[in-house]
């Protein structure tokens, strides 16, 4: 009952005209900027943070949160339409979203993305409202050994993402793992593969890598194909956006699984939406009866990562607001915003600043509904983008990629890296080496190394915690099971399904 | 259409925030004539950024021109310093240097010399680090912790952020000063350090007050000591490490404003005046104190001495810890 | 061995070379052991793994010997160079000559990668889009790059 009273207090805060206005401004800026390639939620929030310093804390936070999930919604749009991800997590959406566009199903892809995002977001908000303190305790109970085991499972399960030959995918994954090593070794402080370039000391920028491999490589492939793609010239009617009954049947299950998985990954500090999206995609492919459709426009390949990444971003608020532990970099920036207002997040936030806490939580809901209203009519507009001739579109998209990558760290070196990865990705893709496993290896590699070494350090040089801790042992067993199954299929010479 | 209007609205907000940069111009040709840009070598929301933004507003009023904060994060401030050095040496581009700058000096091959290419203006903020433990272990004083470390053959497990950070090197220094065996375990961010302590997988965490304020106020973690030469105004009951049996263990972080070497003396003097004055303002003092930071200006010479001393201090720690080769 | 076959063995060869280089360079960072990993442990492990995987890939291609290759006779090198180069050029110019000129140069180079039919319209489009992106990113979102000059 108390929760409901609190919620009522929250809505009374979130439904004032001012709060609605700033929520609306936030989600609109977020959506528009999120659509732009390379500019994800983190960059947008960093850029807009100073704007909120002059606002009332509640309004500022509502606006920032709006930008945050608005960008998350928006970033899938360019993935689906142009195979240019709006942000790193949206790279996963490219895998099946873009094939859907090529099949003339762009409207449907955007529609289900919007709905899936909404469901994922709402699911995590429900968790946040009713179970936040409990879940935060669970999340914080995961030790380094457990993280290691989970990440290893994710890597194993997802090692053949997208379409293409499994061996080539594995090669690319290892390349990703290697690229993840670049920068300062977290344990010794030693610089690895930085070649004396200071900008590389912090590692390769994820955005630069994702934009190069997906955005630039895709454009180069189109430009050199001799025939520029004509993506869509059909008029978008409301009907062309509505998924068929068959689509919807596949939609609900994948969306539900994505929401659960995304919430779980999101509330673990130190993970984030990219990992959530990859994991749910891999999971969906694993349990699918038709895994061969993945990478060729499977609707589950769009809905499950989209619901997962939105659930993850909302679930990231669980440890932030209850323990003061930001789930990811974006949360850290938002906490900085609060500090400027003299408010410290943490367990006492709910008691001391109840109106603020519940106001923000309620505004999440308001914002998600605003986004739904905002996005559905936008779909037609976005699809019309495709009627711009490609030769006019791609130079502009390239410029937006440059700016987007630059804006993350205000670093020109990052843009040079995008160029390098674009060329390399183009060459490798041309020969059937997929980009997605590389990105996954890059994201998970550092986490795997870091947590493995930390677990060993914490146990004083023993490998025992990996087997002794129940969470870790369970996940390691699952990993072994997957590997054993793959080996078994090989041995039996079962017609090689793309099993990992 | 809606978007256009909203963007225009944002633009208006932006302009309002900047105080209408083109509108105001100071009279009689005195510095400053236009907005001053200050480069922060960290992302928005960090300690250096937040303190500068808090002081920046008052500083802008004192100088009669707005202060524009520009974030150039990454790589020990190398990118930020290069941006600074590429601008004109007229005092309209300033940079925030920190104790981290003194460390980067030994860490990176730099294409500039911080001592030659920049000139000091004033210190702005001073802060200490906090030694924290998990309350469930029953340890309430630094002495008890040291005793535990001596008795345990594995020594203490200390959590800090990445190697080469002030926090991490402070842990190295702690290990050396306390003379007990210890394993330093690195985490990526301050929240990760806090999580490790909450999970009770480490015996001690060393970090800045700002980063862990929520957990300290919420009594999730217990501060044992502060590393400054004086007690922290935000934690008046917490003794300094020197009071608690480690007389030589003092770590003080600072943020200071620097200009380019070629900036004229009168401009530096004017800026110094303004910063020292702003640091004394009650509202600035108050807001800084909430963050566990002390607002205090200095003479250019004072902060330069501190920078030089810290370069030597941290180099010695890094050499001892095997993080860099002795030069 | 025909030309397309050579082209097809190039990627695995390049990956092997890359893996080997990483392993060699990584070994200099200190390898250590599984329970006391040096900074180079995983670099060596991943490098060697990549060499093995790429070798396997190479052998499987050899074995199949039916190679699917695109018609390589007229590869549009110039288009590739212009489109990819435009990104590099933007990166090199933006902090030197400012946002707007860098954007104009980038857009112009990229436009040249595809056949240009109407010069005047293209030029107007380039200038307008440069200005619009300047307005959005620098003016509204506060990206710290000057319009002109470094």
């Amino acid at each position: 009952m108390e929760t409901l009273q609190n919620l009522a207090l929250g809505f009374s805060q979130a439904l004032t005209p001012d709060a609605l206005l700033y929520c609306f401004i936030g989600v609109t800026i977020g959506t528009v900027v999120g659509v732009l390639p390379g500019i994800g939620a983190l960059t947008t929030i960093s850029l807009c943070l100073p704007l909120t310093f002059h606002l009332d804390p509640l309004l500022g936070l509502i606006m920032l949160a709006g930008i945050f999930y608005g960008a998350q919604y928006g970033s899938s749009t360019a993935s689906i339409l142009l195979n240019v991800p709006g942000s790193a997590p949206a790279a996963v959406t490219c895998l099946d979203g873009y094939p859907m566009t090529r099949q003339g199903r762009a409207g449907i892809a955007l529609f289900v993305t919007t709905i899936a995002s909404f469901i994922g977001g709402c699911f995590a908000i429900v968790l946040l409202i009713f179970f936040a303190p409990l879940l935060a305790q669970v999340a914080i109970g995961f030790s380094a050994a457990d993280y290691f085991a989970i990440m290893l499972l994710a890597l194993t399960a997802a090692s053949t993402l997208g379409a293409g030959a499994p061996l080539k995918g594995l090669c690319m994954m290892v390349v990703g793992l290697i690229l993840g090593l670049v920068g300062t070794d977290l344990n010794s402080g030693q610089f690895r593969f930085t070649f004396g370039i200071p900008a590389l000391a912090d590692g390769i920028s994820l955005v630069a890598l994702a934009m190069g491999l997906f955005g630039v490589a895709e454009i180069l492939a189109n430009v050199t194909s001799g025939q520029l793609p004509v993506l869509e010239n059909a008029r978008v009617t409301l009907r062309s956006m509505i998924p068929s009954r068959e689509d919807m049947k596949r939609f609900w299950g994948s969306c539900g699984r994505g929401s659960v998985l995304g919430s779980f990954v999101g509330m673990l500090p130190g993970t984030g939406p990219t990992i959530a999206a990859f994991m749910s995609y891999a999971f969906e492919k694993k349990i699918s009866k038709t895994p061969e459709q993945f990478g060729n426009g499977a609707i589950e390949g769009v809905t499950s990562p989209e619901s997962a990444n939105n659930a993850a971003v909302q679930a990231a608020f669980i440890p932030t607001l209850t323990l003061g532990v930001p789930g990811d970099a974006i949360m850290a920036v938002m906490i900085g915003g609060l500090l400027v207002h003299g408010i410290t997040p943490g367990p006492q936030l709910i008691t001391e600043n109840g109106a603020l806490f519940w106001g923000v939580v309620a505004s999440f809901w308001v914002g998600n509904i605003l986004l739904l209203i905002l996005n559905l009519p936008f779909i037609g507009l976005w699809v019309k983008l495709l009627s711009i001739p490609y030769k006019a579109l791609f130079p502009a998209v390239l410029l937006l990629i440059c700016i987007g990558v630059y804006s993350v760290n205000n670093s020109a070196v990052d843009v040079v890296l995008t160029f390098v990865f674009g060329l390399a990705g183009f060459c490798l893709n041309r020969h059937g080496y997929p980009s997605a496993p590389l990105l996954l290896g890059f994201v998970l590699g550092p986490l795997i190394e870091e947590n493995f070494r930390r677990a060993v350090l914490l146990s004083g040089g023993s490998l025992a915690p990996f087997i002794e801790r129940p969470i870790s042992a369970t996940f390691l067993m699952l990993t072994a099971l997957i590997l054993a199954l793959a080996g078994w299929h090989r041995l039996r010479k079962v017609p090689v399904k793309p099993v990992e | 259409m809606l978007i256009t209007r909203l963007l225009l609205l944002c633009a208006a907000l932006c302009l309002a925030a900047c105080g209408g940069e083109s509108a105001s111009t100071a009279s009689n040709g005195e510095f400053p004539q236009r907005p001053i840009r200050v480069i922060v070598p960290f992302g928005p929301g960090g300690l250096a950024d937040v303190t500068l933004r808090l002081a920046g507003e008052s500083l802008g009023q004192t100088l009669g021109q707005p202060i524009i904060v520009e974030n150039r994060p990454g790589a020990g401030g190398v990118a930020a310093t290069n941006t600074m050095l590429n601008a004109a040496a007229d005092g309209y581009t300033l940079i925030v240097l920190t104790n981290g700058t003194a460390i980067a000096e030994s860490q990176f091959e730099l294409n500039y010399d911080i001592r030659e290419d920049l000139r000091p203006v004033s210190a702005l903020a001073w802060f200490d680090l906090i030694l924290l433990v998990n309350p469930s272990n029953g340890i309430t004083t630094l002495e008890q912790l040291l005793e535990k470390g001596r008795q345990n053959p594995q020594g203490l497990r200390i959590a800090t952020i990445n190697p080469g950070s002030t926090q991490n090197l402070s842990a190295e220094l702690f290990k050396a000063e306390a003379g007990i065996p210890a394993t330093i375990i690195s985490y990526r961010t301050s929240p990760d350090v806090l999580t490790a302590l909450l999970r009770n997988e480490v015996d001690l965490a060393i970090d800045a007050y700002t980063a862990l304020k929520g957990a300290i106020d919420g009594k999730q973690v217990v501060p044992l000591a502060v590393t400054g030469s004086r007690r922290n105004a935000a934690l008046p009951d917490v003794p300094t490490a020197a009071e608690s049996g480690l007389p030589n263990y003092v770590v003080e972080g600072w943020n200071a404003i620097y200009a380019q070497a070629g900036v004229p003396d009168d401009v530096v003097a004017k800026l110094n005046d303004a910063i020292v004055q702003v640091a004394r303002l009650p509202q600035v003092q108050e807001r800084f104190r909430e963050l566990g930071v002390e607002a205090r200006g200095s003479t250019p010479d004072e902060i330069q001495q501190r920078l030089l001393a810290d370069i030597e201090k941290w180099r010695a720690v890094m050499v001892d810890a095997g993080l860099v080769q002795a030069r | 061995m025909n030309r397309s076959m050579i082209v097809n063995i190039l990627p695995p060869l390049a990956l092997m070379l890359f893996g080997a280089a990483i392993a060699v360079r990584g070994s200099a960072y200190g390898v250590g052991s599984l329970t006391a990993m040096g900074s180079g442990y995983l670099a060596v492990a991943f490098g060697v793994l990549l060499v093995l995987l790429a070798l396997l890939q190479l052998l499987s291609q050899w074995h199949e010997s039916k190679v699917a290759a695109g018609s390589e006779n007229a590869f549009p090198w110039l288009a590739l160079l212009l489109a990819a180069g435009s990104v590099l050029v933007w990166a090199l110019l933006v902090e030197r000559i400012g946002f707007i000129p860098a954007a104009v140069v980038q857009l112009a180079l990229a436009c040249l990668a595809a056949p240009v039919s109407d010069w005047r319209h293209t030029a107007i489009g380039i200038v307008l889009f440069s200005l619009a992106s300047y307005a959005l990113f620098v003016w509204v979102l506060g990206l710290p790059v000057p319009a002109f000059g470094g």
Side-chain angles (χ1 to χ4, degrees):
Chain A
M1 243 15 249
E2 204 195 331
T3 310
L4 291 182
Q5 272 171 19
N6 285 330
L7 212 54
L9 169 72
F11 275 109
S12 71
Q13 298 282 324
L15 290 175
T16 61
D18 273 359
L20 279 175
L21 176 70
Y22 279 100
C23 190
F24 184 69
I25 295 177
V27 295
T28 311
I29 296 180
T31 310
V32 172
V33 180
V35 168
L36 300 172
I39 306 201
L42 179 59
T43 320
T44 319
I45 291 217
S46 301
L47 289 169
C48 294
L49 183 63
L51 288 180
T52 66
F53 290 164
H54 299 268
L55 293 175
D56 171 81
L58 176 67
L59 297 181
L61 203 61
I62 284 178
M63 186 170 134
L64 283 182
I67 293 172
F68 183 28
Y69 41 76
Q72 213 66 41
Y73 268 72
S75 63
S76 54
T77 305
S79 311
I80 291 171
L81 297 181
L82 300 168
N83 207 17
V84 177
S87 65
V92 186
T93 312
C94 289
L95 298 176
D96 282 280
Y98 187 60
M100 283 183 81
T101 296
R102 301 216 105 165
Q103 294 157 8
R105 284 154 53 85
I108 295 176
L110 289 171
F111 181 84
V112 295
T113 297
T114 307
I115 306 286
S117 301
F118 180 74
I119 293 176
C122 287
F123 179 77
I125 298 171
V126 172
L127 289 185
L128 173 63
I129 291 174
F130 293 99
F131 305 108
L134 185 73
L135 286 174
Q137 284 308 327
V138 173
I140 216 161
F142 279 68
S143 78
D146 305 330
Y147 271 88
F148 168 76
I150 294 173
M151 299 307 155
L152 196 67
L153 174 67
L155 195 69
T156 317
S159 52
T160 56
L161 280 171
L167 197 53
K168 288 180 175 176
L170 278 177
C171 283
M172 291 300 268
M173 193 177 82
V174 178
V175 173
L177 290 169
I178 291 173
L179 293 178
L181 294 174
V182 173
T184 314
D185 173 21
L186 185 65
N187 284 76
S188 66
Q190 190 166 19
F191 295 156
R192 294 189 291 204
F193 306 109
T194 54
F195 308 106
I197 302 169
L200 285 180
D202 297 332
I204 292 170
S205 148
L206 171 62
V207 175
L209 185 72
M211 291 308 126
L213 284 179
F214 285 86
V216 175
E218 165 68 19
I219 290 173
L220 293 182
N222 284 330
V223 168
T224 56
S225 66
Q227 195 184 350
L228 295 179
V230 178
L231 290 167
E232 178 115 359
N233 31 32
R235 264 180 64 85
V236 187
T237 56
L238 190 63
R239 177 158 292 191
S240 76
M241 282 187 233
I242 305 297
S244 68
R245 188 161 296 174
E246 167 63 17
D247 287 336
M248 287 318 280
K249 228 167 66 192
R250 298 160 66 177
F251 170 83
W252 293 110
S254 60
C255 193
R257 288 185 289 272
S259 305
V260 174
L261 201 62
S263 304
F264 169 71
V265 174
M267 72 189 189
L268 291 180
T271 51
T274 312
I275 293 175
F278 268 117
M279 280 176 85
S280 65
Y281 183 90
F283 181 69
E284 208 55 44
K285 185 176 174 185
K286 185 116 284 181
I287 64 163
S288 170
K289 291 194 194 84
T290 51
E292 67 281 354
Q293 285 184 8
F294 279 73
N296 296 313
I299 198 161
E300 301 97 318
V302 177
T303 52
S304 115
E306 275 304 316
S307 55
N309 83 36
N310 281 278
V313 300
Q314 295 284 7
F317 282 91
I318 292 175
T320 310
L321 290 177
T322 51
L323 296 172
V325 177
D328 60 11
I330 299 171
M331 284 298 119
V333 172
M334 292 185 62
I335 285 190
L338 282 176
L339 284 176
V340 170
H341 290 294
I343 295 168
T344 320
Q348 74 290 2
L349 175 78
I350 304 178
T351 40
E352 283 172 17
N353 273 306
L356 177 84
F357 176 83
W358 292 105
V360 172
V361 171
S363 92
F364 290 164
W365 232 317
V366 177
N368 271 287
I369 289 167
L370 282 179
L371 273 172
L372 197 62
I373 300 169
L374 194 71
N375 267 278
L376 289 179
F378 258 133
I379 292 176
L381 196 74
W382 295 131
V383 178
K384 282 216 186 77
L385 254 183
L386 294 179
S387 57
I388 300 174
Y390 196 76
K391 70 173 182 182
L393 200 59
F394 85 84
V397 175
L398 278 177
L399 176 61
L400 293 175
I401 289 176
C402 289
I403 301 171
V405 171
Y406 181 85
S407 65
V408 176
N409 290 320
N410 293 332
S411 159
V413 178
D414 284 357
V415 186
V416 175
L417 287 177
T418 305
F419 160 78
V420 173
F421 292 128
L423 266 186
F426 164 72
C427 295
L428 288 165
N429 290 349
R430 216 176 141 75
H431 291 273
Y433 290 83
S435 294
L438 195 162
L439 196 63
L440 180 75
F442 177 79
V443 175
L444 288 180
L447 282 171
I448 289 178
E449 178 185 21
E450 187 181 316
N451 284 299
F452 180 83
R453 292 172 74 178
R454 189 176 294 143
V456 173
L457 260 182
L458 284 167
S459 70
S462 147
L463 295 176
F466 294 107
I467 335 169
E468 282 166 4
R469 291 190 56 91
I471 305 174
S472 158
T474 312
F475 281 98
L476 285 179
M477 253 153 65
L478 281 173
T479 311
L481 199 69
I482 287 180
L483 288 173
L485 273 178
W488 177 249
H489 279 292
R490 273 295 135 75
L491 278 180
R492 294 263 320 259
K493 295 255 176 192
V494 170
V496 184
K497 265 198 299 182
V499 171
E500 290 68 25
Chain B
M1 270 308 87
L2 194 58
I3 305 181
T4 333
R5 255 184 253 157
L6 277 164
L7 286 177
L8 278 176
L9 184 65
C10 290
L13 274 174
C14 258
L15 276 184
C18 297
E21 35 182 293
S22 53
S24 60
T25 30
S27 51
N28 65 29
E30 242 183 67
F31 177 87
Q33 295 277 1
R34 51 194 168 85
I36 296 171
R37 130 181 122 122
V38 184
I39 298 165
V40 178
F42 303 97
L47 180 62
D49 179 72
V50 171
T51 48
L52 182 72
R53 283 183 198 275
L54 286 176
E57 212 159 294
S58 309
L59 191 59
Q61 283 158 14
T62 309
L63 288 167
Q65 286 288 348
I67 302 291
I68 295 167
V69 178
E70 183 174 318
N71 301 94
R72 296 231 172 224
V78 178
T81 313
N82 277 317
T83 308
M84 162 86 179
L85 293 174
N86 286 334
D90 51 9
Y92 287 101
T93 309
L94 305 172
I95 190 168
V96 176
L97 293 194
T98 71
N99 43 290
T101 318
I103 295 170
E105 186 68 16
S106 307
Q107 241 181 341
F108 291 90
E109 295 282 331
L110 301 174
N111 59 349
Y112 50 80
D113 185 347
I114 212 97
R115 284 156 283 209
E116 298 288 321
D117 296 335
L118 297 180
R119 71 178 288 181
V121 177
S122 169
L124 175 66
W126 302 80
F127 55 93
D128 49 15
L129 299 176
I130 321 278
L131 308 185
L132 297 149
V133 294
N134 188 309
S136 69
N137 298 336
I139 287 176
T140 49
T141 66
L142 186 55
E143 285 93 339
Q144 287 172 356
L145 182 76
L146 293 175
E147 191 49 40
K148 181 184 174 188
R150 276 187 212 104
Q151 279 171 8
N152 185 347
Q154 302 239 325
L156 295 175
R157 289 170 300 187
I158 308 176
T160 71
I161 56 168
N162 57 303
S165 61
T166 308
Q167 286 88 327
N168 184 273
L169 295 181
S170 301
E172 296 282 0
L173 190 62
F174 176 84
K175 195 172 147 183
E177 289 292 336
I180 53 172
T183 312
I184 296 170
I185 296 158
S186 307
Y187 293 81
R188 215 162 265 282
T189 62
S190 293
D192 293 344
V193 171
L194 173 62
T195 314
L197 192 60
L198 291 176
R199 197 187 287 143
N200 213 1
E201 68 182 22
V202 293
D203 303 304
L204 173 69
I206 302 182
D207 213 322
Y209 176 70
T210 328
L212 306 177
K213 185 177 188 302
I216 297 173
D217 294 351
K219 310 241 186 303
Q220 291 171 295
V221 294
V222 176
L224 289 187
V226 297
T227 64
S229 51
R230 279 176 290 173
R231 291 193 177 194
N232 188 317
L235 298 167
D237 300 332
V238 179
T240 64
E243 288 174 55
S244 319
L246 292 178
N248 294 321
Y249 185 55
V250 178
V251 176
E252 270 176 317
W254 44 268
N255 295 335
I257 307 284
Y258 270 66
Q260 276 192 56
V263 174
D265 290 346
D266 57 325
V267 170
V268 170
K270 174 142 194 185
L271 285 168
N272 177 281
D273 249 19
I275 295 169
V276 170
Q277 210 180 313
V278 163
R280 284 204 194 105
L281 294 174
Q283 74 265 29
V284 171
Q285 289 273 336
E286 171 63 29
R287 296 302 300 278
F288 274 44
R289 193 177 310 123
E290 283 171 14
L291 297 172
V293 176
E294 184 191 358
R296 177 157 51 88
S298 74
T299 63
D301 202 41
E302 199 180 329
I303 190 61
Q304 183 73 352
Q305 292 309 322
R306 173 44 83 89
L307 174 71
L308 297 178
D310 275 3
I311 290 176
E312 292 311 315
K313 172 180 180 172
W314 293 125
R315 175 169 298 150
V317 174
M318 290 166 91
V319 169
D320 283 347
L323 286 170
V324 292
Q325 306 288 309
R327 282 196 202 165
Chain C
M1 189 185 280
N2 58 23
R3 189 165 170 277
S4 68
M5 248 181 109
I6 300 176
V7 170
N8 267 292
I9 63 167
L10 275 180
L13 275 182
L15 288 175
M16 280 171 72
L17 211 65
F18 178 67
I22 293 292
V24 170
R25 184 81 187 83
S27 64
Y29 295 136
V31 178
S33 67
L34 185 63
T35 48
M37 265 187 201
S39 307
Y41 189 93
L42 284 179
V44 173
F46 292 156
V48 171
L49 187 61
L50 182 58
V51 172
L52 292 178
L53 285 172
L55 188 67
L56 222 61
Q57 171 65 31
L58 190 68
L59 292 177
S60 73
Q61 266 173 221
W62 216 272
H63 199 62
E64 282 171 12
S65 79
K66 60 161 199 226
V67 210
S71 54
E72 297 282 332
N73 28 17
F75 185 78
W77 286 106
L78 189 65
L80 176 70
L81 195 72
L82 284 168
S86 75
V87 173
L88 182 64
V89 166
W90 187 89
L92 297 177
L93 289 183
V94 68
E95 284 175 2
R96 293 193 172 83
I97 62 171
F99 188 98
I100 292 175
V104 169
V105 172
Q106 184 275 329
L107 289 172
L109 283 176
C111 283
L112 286 173
V116 180
S117 44
D118 183 343
W119 276 102
R120 223 166 40 141
H121 273 111
T122 308
I124 294 172
I126 288 174
V127 172
L128 282 183
F129 193 74
S130 303
L131 292 175
S133 47
Y134 176 81
L136 176 62
F137 290 101
V138 182
W139 200 50
V140 176
L141 292 172
L143 193 73
V145 184
F148 297 94

